[in-house]
Amino acid sequence: MAGPEETADFAALIREFKDRSGLSYGVLAKRLHMSTSTLHRYCNGDAVPTEYAPVERFARLCKATPDELVEAHRRWILADGARQRERKAAAGTATAATPAAPATPAATATAEPGTSTPAPATPSAPTPSPSTPTGTEPTTTPIPTPPSTPEASPSDATETSHPTTPNPGPRNGNRTRRRTTLLTAAAVAVVVAATALVPRLVSGGDDNGDRKQEAGSVTSTGNGTSSATPSSKAKATSSPSSSTSPSDSANPSKSAAAKTGVSATPSDKADGGAATAVPLTVTSRPYAWESPCSQTYLVDEDGAKVPPPPTEQDAPSWVSALGAVSADSQFLELTVQGTGEETVVLQSLNVRVVQSGSPLAWNAYAMGYIGVGCGGGVPTHSFDVGLDATRPVATPKSGQTGLPYKVSESDPEVLYVTAAAASHDVRWYLELAWTSGARKGVLRIDDQGKPFHTSGMSGRPQYGYSLDDSEWIPHQAD
């Protein structure tokens, strides 16, 4: 069986689901909207899905229990992490080996002005005569790569076309400097191009063309500090009456994080405290669904201009295109994983309100189809947040244990947060306090650098999608 131990464990679990379901590969693949060969590769451990959504659909189709869904998610996280580590290792090996050949022109080009041949010498001491025989050029300028040849040729032609020019010293020095600069720039360009191309070729797309990262998801990382005291800015926004602009919540590493979708804001450093790497990551899915029937979005458009309900994995794109806002409640899925072998303790999960006002006066669109039932259970490690409260707090759902939890690279945790707003339009984010040995810090969790956005929909027109009519029609949810 191909792949590391984590991939084998993941494949064994989904094979167990498949065998227990009694359904063939063909039937399962058709219901999951994927090819039979792709499903075979997942079950054999030859490939790992790049997203968890198809794994969850597969498990639910095979009647997996809530505990089995959590275990499937845990094993997928480990298998996906192992696959990414393999790719990084392969990319690093190829990157280290490939640029070795193009490095030769750079060394030759930079060393050329220092040669002792009668050809143009060091720019600081130009030779007075440019009449050096051109036949010696191949030995004095050993440039093996084609990119450097076109740059050098014009200079050579210029030099030999005026052998009797009076006082050629300064002009020859300028030409030598120009040629040296051009040769160096060409060699550097070759090295940079080769270095950039190799990782792209090595880390190319999956055989199935799956997306690398689901839209709307974000991995939070940052710098830890020796102080667990929340930042003063976070304290200032703890009341729903406080209102700050989204720019106020920008984090120190935003410029570096913008390319990867990373959003993290560590707590302020204590006096004399030195910043260290945070020993955990948090992957957030701000548009996850407990079930299609439980999710509704507010959209400032008439039903005729709103496309049909998306699937859960396409919800982020649907929301972004329409500027939709989660209505009544928002369901978050947070995957917390350590970055090393050391244990990280998750101490508390705190809610910070950026802005709170009257609910949006938009139309409400339910994601479930009219007349089609929905199912689902309450996952473990679930929290409720009442955004209408003066000071919202994340509390464990009835019968479940709350924080602290422990995580490491081999033992992740998945937290589910249901944030409800009935009478307010609220922009908010979460702060996760952690400790690891003598280190401690606070990690901000938001929607790609922006606060989460949830609004009540009381009294707003509600619509459901009719499969019979293929359009949105007024519909009051049960």
Side-chain angles (χ1 to χ4, degrees), residues 406-418:
K406 295 181 180 180
V407 299
S408 64
E409 186 177 19
S410 60
D411 189 18
E413 288 283 0
V414 183
L415 313 181
Y416 301 91
V417 178
T418 303

Side-chain angles (χ1 to χ4, degrees), residues 171-378:
R171 182 177 300 175
N172 188 46
N174 291 337
R175 290 180 185 137
T176 303
R177 284 192 291 273
R178 285 198 300 271
R179 184 171 65 175
T180 302
T181 302
L182 291 173
L183 292 174
T184 304
V188 171
V190 171
V191 175
V192 171
T195 305
L197 180 60
V198 170
R200 178 170 303 205
L201 293 175
V202 174
S203 61
D206 187 76
D207 292 340
N208 304 322
D210 293 336
R211 291 170 294 178
K212 296 300 175 187
Q213 182 177 3
E214 180 179 355
S217 66
V218 53
T219 301
S220 298
T221 57
N223 294 325
T225 67
S226 58
S227 170
T229 305
S231 63
S232 58
K233 185 184 298 182
K235 292 180 180 179
T237 60
S238 61
S239 171
S241 61
S242 62
S243 175
T244 60
S245 64
S247 60
D248 292 337
S249 61
N251 57 76
S253 60
K254 185 173 182 180
S255 59
K259 297 181 180 179
T260 59
V262 171
S263 175
T265 302
S267 61
D268 292 338
K269 288 192 289 186
D271 294 338
T276 57
V278 170
L280 77 161
T281 62
V282 180
T283 303
S284 170
R285 292 182 61 217
Y287 302 108
W289 299 348
E290 280 188 281
S291 73
C293 297
S294 66
Q295 187 59 57
T296 301
Y297 293 108
L298 289 169
V299 180
D300 192 19
E301 293 286 359
D302 294 331
K305 299 180 180 179
V306 177
T311 58
E312 182 180 358
Q313 64 267 27
D314 294 331
S317 300
W318 192 91
V319 168
S320 177
L322 296 171
V325 174
S326 298
D328 251 8
S329 67
Q330 185 166 1
F331 185 70
L332 307 181
E333 180 185 280
L334 312 177
T335 302
V336 188
Q337 185 175 20
T339 57
E341 296 180 357
E342 68 271 21
T343 297
V344 182
V345 179
L346 313 181
Q347 296 288 1
S348 63
L349 187 64
N350 302 309
V351 184
R352 303 296 182 188
V353 174
V354 176
Q355 184 176 354
S356 181
S358 300
L360 298 174
W362 296 356
N363 295 329
Y365 296 89
M367 295 296 99
Y369 295 113
I370 296 177
V372 179
C374 297
V378 177

